[in-house]
Amino acid sequence: MSAVIAPVARKSFREAQFSIREEAIVEATNRLLGSKGYEMMSMDDIAAEVGIAKGSLYRHFDSKEALAAAVMVRLLQRTRAILVGLPEGLSAIERLEALLRWTLAERLAGGVPHLPSASQALRDSLLAHRAYMDELMALSESVGTLIQQAKSDATLRGDLRDEFILYTLYARSCDPTLDFLKATGSMTDQEIVDQMVSACLEGIGARRAG
Amino acid sequence: MSAVIAPVARKSFREAQFSIREEAIVEATNRLLGSKGYEMMSMDDIAAEVGIAKGSLYRHFDSKEALAAAVMVRLLQRTRAILVGLPEGLSAIERLEALLRWTLAERLAGGVPHLPSASQALRDSLLAHRAYMDELMALSESVGTLIQQAKSDATLRGDLRDEFILYTLYARSCDPTLDFLKATGSMTDQEIVDQMVSACLEGIGARRAG
DNA sequence: GTCTATACTGAGATAGAC
DNA sequence: GTCTATCTCAGTATAGAC
């Protein structure tokens, strides 16, 4: 973890090995968190998935909570990177829609939901985690700005509160509708994403004759 | 549990006492399930809430899972009763909206979400629970019929699949947006329900000029 | 730094007295 | 049928050899 320049090649090599293993641990935890959820995922599971001893996990992370937090922080960082990397020409509403599509596609591919809504324990521990909260604030600020822009473009409803829209978007990322539809297998991934995005923006009610 | 006519008054009295206590247990579990969730709720919590010994719980219910299932079955029964009890004159879409409003109001009042989306363990055990699945099927059939009626009334979008709409309605009943909004305290319960119902039916996007 | 082995804890479930 | 006391087990975390 030290940022000091390695004085000899051997130490640098070892540090690299350590980082690689740490990355493997986070990656494995990410997979398990996506498939089993926080409570059902034991440290034994993680150790087995990585292929190391359980005790060794604790050389890298102090606790199960710290490990889960590392996964969530990385997810939020990637999400912000996606947002920043969107093409120049897109409008605010197009950016919000693109972000929503990305999060849904991620979950269909086995990813972790952005919100730990499934676990009260994880939720509580994350609320006390500094780095996670900082990332969440940063992301919320970016998305909040887009919401305001889209409102002034009249592409988002002006009668809904900003925070309501923000939470609604977050909630879509952990919507169980996605899991049910995937489980029944009657719709393709593409259809699931399309209908969920459409239902979020346009609703499930029919448009009244304009 | 026996349905035999009590031969003497004393036995009948005792059976009544038993039923009353059982109802108290289910009621307490309902409260705790709504506030703490399945995983965070221990049998000790339930016993303390009811005011009896933990061991006594097991005279009424074989396991924690069975107890939670009893709560969920009762919730589904009440939900069906609400649906049946709606005023005669309502259209299909009005019935669906009324049901959605009721479920959201219930949760704001501390009730249990209809879907156990928060707990993988509970979800799995319920899937294997006969009475729960029967109730869920019965409710889904009623709601499914309303969805088809609303579609032919052109009050629900015809391009969305029936099952997609059904799952979406179920998912709204456990939407974390509700919890966030309640936690921040910046909106009244009425506003929360109104905006969530509106967002579900009409979406968060602005209507394009018709 | 990684391994094997183990301590500790919380929680679901059971036994036995009354 | 209810109580107190206990069993059992899973799972987090730590100790100690190498």
Side-chain angles (χ1 to χ4, degrees), chain A residues 2-3 6 13 16 19 29 33 71 74 80 82 88 104 124 133 139 142 145-146 151 155 161 163 167 169 189 203 207:
Chain A
S2 162
F13 175 74
S19 295
T29 307
L33 215 47
V71 170
R74 203 184 58 152
R80 276 213 294 157
I82 292 290
E88 281 293 325
L104 294 175
D124 291 347
M133 290 306 290
L139 179 60
S142 299
T145 302
L146 289 176
K151 271 190 173 179
T155 49
R161 301 225 185 167
E163 54 185 333
Y167 293 152
L169 288 171
D189 284 6
R207 300 278 164 131

Side-chain angles (χ1 to χ4, degrees), chain A residues 118 157 163 172 186 198 201 205 210, chain B residues 118 157 163 172 186 201 205 210:
Chain A
R157 286 171 56 179
E163 54 185 333
R172 284 308 137 278
S186 63
S198 172
L201 293 176
Chain B
R157 286 170 58 178
E163 54 184 333
R172 284 305 135 289
S186 62
L201 293 177

Side-chain angles (χ1 to χ4, degrees), chain B residues 1-13:
Chain B
M1 297 275 207
S2 163
V4 178
I5 307 291
V8 290
R10 181 150 213 96
K11 183 167 183 198
S12 172
F13 175 75

